[in-house]
Amino acid sequence: MKLIYKFIKFCFYTAILMGVIGSAGIVYLYHYFSQDLPKMENMKDYNPPVISEVFSDNGTKIGEFWLERRILLSPQEIPKIMEQAIVASEDSSFFEHSGIDYWGIARAMLENLKAGQIVQGGSTITQQVVKSFLLTKHRTWERKIKEAILAKRLEDRFSKKEILYLYLNQIYFGNRAYGVEAAAQNYFHKPARELTIAEAAMIAGLAKAPSQFSPISNYSRAKIRQEYVIERMLQEGFISKEQAEKAIKYKMNIYRSPTDKEFNMRYAPWFVEEVRRQLIDRYGRNTIYRNGLKIYTTVELDAQHMAQEALYKGLSELHKRHGYNGVLKNIPESEFEEFHFKTHKKMYHDAFQTSKIDPNLKDEDIAKTEVPIEKNKTYKGLITDIDKNKRTVTVRIGRFIGTILPQDYGWARKRNNDAIGYEDVMYVKQPQSIFKVGDVIEVRVVDVESLSKKTKAKYADNKELYLTLEETPLIEGAIFAYDPHSGFVKSIIGGKDFSQSEFNRATQALRQPGSVFKPLLYAAALDKGYRPDTIIEDAPLKIPDGPGRFWQPKNYGGGFKGPIAFSDALITSRNIVSVRLILDIGVDYVTALLRKLGISTTIMKVYSMALGSNDMKLSEVTRAFGIFPTGGILPEYIFVKKITDRYGYVLEQNQPAKVDAFEKQIEVGSHVQQALVSQMESNADNLRKDLWTEAQRFIKRDYLELSPFEEIILYGKHIPDGYVMNPKTIYTMVGIMQEIVQRGTAYRVRSLGRPVAGKTGTTNDQTDCWFVGYTPNLVAGVWVGYDKAKNKVGGGETGGKSAAPIFLYFMQDYLKDKPIANFNITKDMQYSELDPVIEILPGDISDLFTDMNASGGADFFADDI
């Protein structure tokens, strides 16, 4: 008995000890596994990555940035049918258990022991929620313990409704969708609130294994899974038998979702990408891709489309002037029908949303379906007949049959980029000389209705489909357009095809602007005393360029005009006069002006800069030209009007700067003129503080040496508040630049038929062609060239011939049906308040005339002398 008593006593104390040790072990394990678990104290702690969206000026969504495509729904926004589908299929006892289904775990443990490895889980919806918060997805005992701990915490802190909210927003449903809202949009192109029972069941079926049950890659398996979910909903009493039967028979439209980058290519890819780069610089990549920003931009989709079409048209015309590289290929007659069907099938998918998945769609169905043929779109067509008598070419595009008339293939001589090309010249008179039946060529539909009466008469049969021979140009181009008064950027086209090259030639490329630079030089000269009627010698010039070397600038086309008026020199773009100007007013002074106008690129202070030898960005030069329609105000570009975060808080809001017109400033006396200052004195009190402060970093960085006179001209208080240049100078320039269009190098643009001004630019060997122009309410810059700067645009090509027409096409479309606006130019500019007042002291006069050209600067500030 004594031994039995001792044994019982031993067992009792041992049990207590083991219990204590076990409890301590459990507590230790609980704390051990709990220490690195994520904290979920309240709903505000749930901040998963969500998509950022970009919108155009009219509210159209044009872009997305995301790592996980998730759109958060509040607990109240989650549709009841979606909750029921998930609960029925994933965790029917969800509303009864406290986060852990012990019977389910026991069943899973038994199966795992039998298998010798983890093959099955007993996870509840709560546990599935916590899975997505853990660092590892591997099935281990440690992870299961952490799941259980976190599941219990969630059940203690959140309601069942809130747990479903976490689950239905967090988990991955395949097809790039995180959460039910993204799943509804990605799979069905509708919000979750509009889901049918069939669609909700399809999404719920994906929760278990999105790749295994994907309706995109395995529709039959996905359909079986969907029907299982519908059956479970019926068994749980969520739907009636009639609803279940109807849901099973319901025909769904399922779509493949694009990546954010693919989506961003649909509307305004160049603009969206530029905004993305800028925002990453400001906020960092993490904020842009995870924080659900709403980004409201200034881009006009119509303007973007018009600019893209204008660029293609201009580049195509340029390409055609220099000939044809040849047909794409030739195929035997036995392959004709196969080619026709492939073309028709591509047109079908282009017309009826390529992302749509139809498991029942067969090639026979596609072949029977009529599809439209679009204007302004290039197609690959097959030549099926050549009529030697009529000199026409018959081309089939899918099921469409069209005709190419002689005037629409006559340009297709053998390509020679060095030869000068002319438009409306019939280089090819017989189609059989360049084509044969079976050739595959690029064509576009001729929009007969848009043609002039004279041209339309060439296309006799209105019912016939007319085509024009095309060839994708190898040359590139760019357009940048904005409203100078608001700074709102309307359009950015960085190249002919974003899908082929994402390099933005409008905002990133550094190219020589050529003579487009001259208006900035001439404006600088006007500020320093030149006048439109100042006579300058257009004669040979020889400038020392090192020991025994000389630079002799030449005019485009050669020759000299002798004495020529300042204004006429700019209108006819005389190079030698421009060099004489910079020799007189100085490279430092001109460089300082360029910095004031927002040119940030490296500037080599050499005399050839007068001819645009420094590389610049199209966007910056176009911005600098904004001073002309604004009367001297430098616009600040605005790409983004407003940005809000996921909670609706405004991160930034950008509005156009408010600047009082200089007339009003003078009228109310807010425009303060500086005191008299000697050329030999430097008086900071006579300089506008904002301009002078901004100038300091450029003056130091570029090692600029400016005289007191030049400092006052550039930064003096005679310049009205908010302006960067003297309105007198600007209004003079606008008048001269309108003449460039009317009778100068940009004469092609005058057919716009409304007030317009601008300047052409062509670099040495025709490697770059520019035109930057403006109407009273819009500035647009155009660049044309090859990415390899050594490649020639083409023989005889100039800014006026290659770039100006693109500007014209864009402006014609954009300004169509808009009222004609006039430049707000004050005819009587006798405002003495705008003149820099400088006192010439004894002994200063010789220095003054040393700095200034005797012909152009002798009357410098003559009224004040």
Side-chain angles (χ1 to χ4, degrees), residues 569-615:
L570 179 57
I571 292 166
T572 55
S573 200
R574 307 306 290 172
N575 289 341
I576 291 178
V577 172
S578 298
V579 176
R580 289 186 184 277
L581 286 177
I582 205 165
L583 283 169
D584 175 36
I585 64 178
V587 293
D588 285 72
Y589 170 75
V590 174
T591 301
L593 176 70
L594 293 178
R595 295 307 187 203
K596 188 171 69 165
L597 297 182
I599 303 298
S600 65
T601 50
T602 300
I603 296 175
M604 301 296 292
K605 295 184 292 180
V606 293
Y607 294 130
S608 61
M609 68 186 289
L611 308 182
S613 63
N614 280 298
D615 289 342

Side-chain angles (χ1 to χ4, degrees), residues 765-811:
D765 300 321
Q766 295 89 45
T767 57
D768 297 87
C769 293
W770 293 61
F771 182 78
V772 181
Y774 51 91
T775 62
N777 296 313
L778 192 70
V779 183
V782 177
W783 167 84
V784 173
Y786 286 92
D787 285 338
K788 290 184 177 179
K790 293 182 179 180
N791 289 356
K792 188 176 184 178
V793 171
E797 298 296 337
T798 63
K801 188 177 182 179
S802 305
I806 296 173
F807 172 92
L808 174 64
Y809 301 147
F810 170 62
M811 285 293 186

Side-chain angles (χ1 to χ4, degrees), residues 15-233:
I16 292 175
L17 180 61
M18 293 301 292
V20 172
I21 293 173
S23 297
I26 291 172
V27 171
Y28 171 77
L29 289 174
Y30 178 84
H31 285 289
Y32 174 78
F33 288 114
S34 298
Q35 61 185 355
D36 60 347
L37 291 180
K39 293 182 179 180
M40 290 289 291
E41 299 297 334
N42 53 58
M43 297 301 289
K44 290 183 180 179
D45 290 333
Y46 180 58
N47 292 300
V50 290
I51 72 169
S52 293
E53 298 173 296
V54 186
F55 302 93
S56 70
D57 72 323
N58 67 0
T60 301
K61 186 165 80 168
I62 59 173
E64 295 180 347
F65 309 134
W66 45 265
L67 300 175
E68 297 178 359
R69 193 176 194 280
R70 177 183 287 105
I71 303 167
L72 280 183
L73 294 180
S74 68
Q76 294 74 32
E77 292 174 320
I78 295 174
K80 190 174 182 180
I81 192 66
M82 195 68 245
E83 292 180 343
Q84 292 171 336
I86 284 290
V87 169
S89 59
E90 292 295 307
D91 187 2
S92 58
S93 62
F94 173 71
F95 290 102
E96 284 77 45
H97 64 63
S98 59
I100 302 172
D101 183 355
Y102 296 102
W103 288 110
I105 292 175
R107 183 172 60 252
M109 288 180 64
L110 183 60
E111 292 300 320
N112 293 337
L113 288 171
K114 287 180 180 179
Q117 58 180 327
I118 296 177
V119 296
Q120 187 182 110
S123 298
T124 62
I125 285 178
T126 310
Q127 287 176 283
Q128 289 183 55
V129 169
V130 305
K131 283 180 185 179
S132 61
F133 297 142
L134 298 174
L135 297 176
T136 176
K137 298 291 183 182
H138 302 298
R139 290 182 172 182
T140 64
W141 293 110
E142 179 181 346
R143 196 199 72 178
K144 295 301 288 185
I145 293 171
K146 289 184 176 182
E147 274 182 27
I149 295 170
L150 195 52
K152 189 67 173 65
R153 286 184 183 178
L154 287 180
E155 291 280 348
D156 290 342
R157 289 172 172 78
F158 300 105
S159 67
K160 291 291 186 179
K161 182 78 174 176
E162 290 172 332
I163 291 173
L164 278 176
Y165 155 79
L166 295 171
Y167 181 80
L168 291 173
N169 277 305
Q170 181 67 20
I171 67 170
Y172 181 59
F173 287 100
N175 197 24
R176 303 186 176 94
Y178 290 81
V180 294
E181 180 65 19
Q185 291 186 16
N186 288 14
Y187 283 107
F188 303 114
H189 284 190
K190 62 173 64 174
R193 66 176 180 275
E194 296 178 8
L195 290 173
T196 64
I197 294 172
E199 292 164 342
M202 178 64 78
I203 291 175
L206 293 164
K208 186 175 183 67
S211 58
Q212 185 178 351
F213 297 113
S214 170
I216 293 174
S217 59
N218 197 328
Y219 183 81
S220 58
R221 183 178 289 177
K223 182 63 179 172
I224 293 171
R225 178 67 180 170
Q226 180 220 31
E227 292 179 4
Y228 163 77
V229 176
I230 293 172
E231 180 63 27
R232 287 292 303 124
M233 293 175 73

Side-chain angles (χ1 to χ4, degrees), residues 646-773:
R646 67 170 78 196
Y647 305 111
Y649 296 120
V650 176
L651 297 183
E652 69 173 71
Q653 194 156 6
N654 301 302
Q655 297 292 335
K658 293 182 179 180
V659 178
D660 288 336
F662 74 89
E663 298 98 332
K664 183 178 180 181
Q665 293 186 41
I666 292 172
E667 181 182 344
V668 301
S670 62
H671 177 73
V672 181
Q673 190 171 4
Q674 74 267 26
L676 295 178
V677 63
S678 166
Q679 180 204 5
M680 305 306 292
E681 298 175 356
S682 177
N683 190 343
D685 291 337
N686 289 306
L687 304 178
R688 247 181 57 192
K689 187 175 181 180
D690 58 334
L691 293 178
W692 182 240
T693 301
E694 176 68 16
Q696 292 310 296
R697 57 194 182 99
F698 296 121
I699 291 173
K700 293 177 181 178
R701 190 188 70 183
D702 294 323
Y703 302 101
L704 302 181
E705 295 182 5
L706 301 174
S707 70
F709 268 136
E710 291 172 330
E711 290 176 355
I712 291 174
I713 294 168
L714 289 164
Y715 315 114
K717 288 181 178 179
H718 66 287
I719 302 173
D721 290 341
Y723 288 68
V724 297
M725 289 200 71
N726 191 326
K728 278 189 172 182
T729 293
I730 296 305
Y731 288 160
T732 300
M733 286 300 303
V734 172
I736 297 173
M737 294 176 74
Q738 286 185 87
E739 289 299 306
I740 294 174
V741 171
Q742 293 304 313
R743 59 187 179 91
T745 56
Y747 67 90
R748 286 178 173 84
V749 176
R750 68 171 175 245
S751 61
L752 184 62
R754 57 173 72 212
V756 59
K759 183 67 184 78
T760 58
T762 312
T763 57
N764 290 341
D765 300 321
Q766 295 89 45
T767 57
D768 297 87
C769 293
W770 293 61
F771 182 78
V772 181

